[in-house]
Amino acid sequence: MENQEKINLYEKFDETTLEKLLLLSQKYEAVGQDLKTHLEGMLYANHLTYWHYINLDALLSLQIPRTSFPDEMVFIVYHQITELYFKLIINDIQQICQKEDSCDAQLYLRNLKRVNGYLRNLISSFDVVMANMDKEQFLKFRLALVPASGFQSVQYRIIEILSTDFKNLVAPVHRPFITRDTTIEEMFPKVYWKQGAIEKETGKKTLTLEMFEEKYGKILLYTAREYRNKNLLILFENFIKEKSPLEKEIVEQMRLFDTLMNVDWPLVHYRSAVKYLKKKEETTTIPSTGGTNWQKYLPPRYQLNIFFPELWSDEELKNWGKG
Ligand code: HEM
């Protein structure tokens, strides 16, 4: 480099830029890397584009219908959108539940507000999108999906585990027998969704459940163990209740979350099932793809999933899911 060029270089790079270079060199040195190599790599690397960053081509190639009915695309994309929202919900709750021995009340409140926003979107869009598919097409393409079912949504189960004490997810008939000493391993087989997917005639697990357990059983059990002492409910009890000035606002958001997740979404979902799977003027229903007795399984008034029972009055608990 010529002298004149060197002088220009000093003029071009102000102190802050040089400081950043120093910090960068320290960052790379700390891990045994050479800053110069990385800088040269930056010279050759392509500029980032929007489509690479969000992986658009891959994202748009993930919708693969099993039939030629156009509304099957609506069904697939809407499920994927829901799963992406579930991912956001999990991400937000995980941020709150990082530690067993502390909890940031501001973060608790902010993230719970966000979670409730996602759920509101899901509930209102469910009524628009899922409730307005072509019924004739739906009743045909769904036959190509058996035995797959939204029942197998692992993220839905993870949201539940991260939100509450595991005993609140045990089927209502088994709940009274759970004590403080009951282990996760003892409660796990009694979780409401396992109990709901048993064939009435044979007493056997549905194939949908068997496949789900095989794929995700261990992960769910591990997650339940990991979150036993750092789920939303226990963190509220240990660090927010009577300790934080934000308690009142947080309680409001927790009650809203409980309602959106355990009443409003299940109701809008159940209404769609009724719309498509209940035959008019007949008492019989069309079997679901997942094989549950869905009319008894889906309604929140039977399921009685409540993340934060302590935040509701006896009257409210008695009328759960009936509104
Ligand atoms: C017309 C649309 C839909 C119908 C008719 C329907 C029907 C059903 C039925 C009957 C069940 C009970 C399990 C079974 O026997 O298969 C179920 C479970 C479930 N579905 Fe859907 N579903 C629809 C849309 C969706 C969408 C868009 C999602 C989003 C991911 C979804 C997620 C779930 C979940 C998470 C469960 C388990 C619920 C629980 O265990 O409490 N469903 N669905």
Side-chain angles (χ1 to χ4, degrees), residues 75 78-79 82-83 86 126 130 133 138 149-151 153 156-157 192-193 265 269 272-273 276-277 288-292 294 297-298 303:
F75 192 69
Y78 191 76
H79 275 83
T82 306
E83 289 292 344
F86 287 170
F126 205 107
M130 282 295 97
M133 285 183 299
F138 175 80
S149 164
F151 179 92
S153 167
Y156 191 82
R157 309 293 173 215
Y192 80 95
W193 46 266
W265 190 87
H269 175 244
S272 271
Y276 295 108
L277 301 181
S288 62
T289 54
T292 64
W294 62 269
Y297 176 70
L298 290 179
Q303 219 172 49

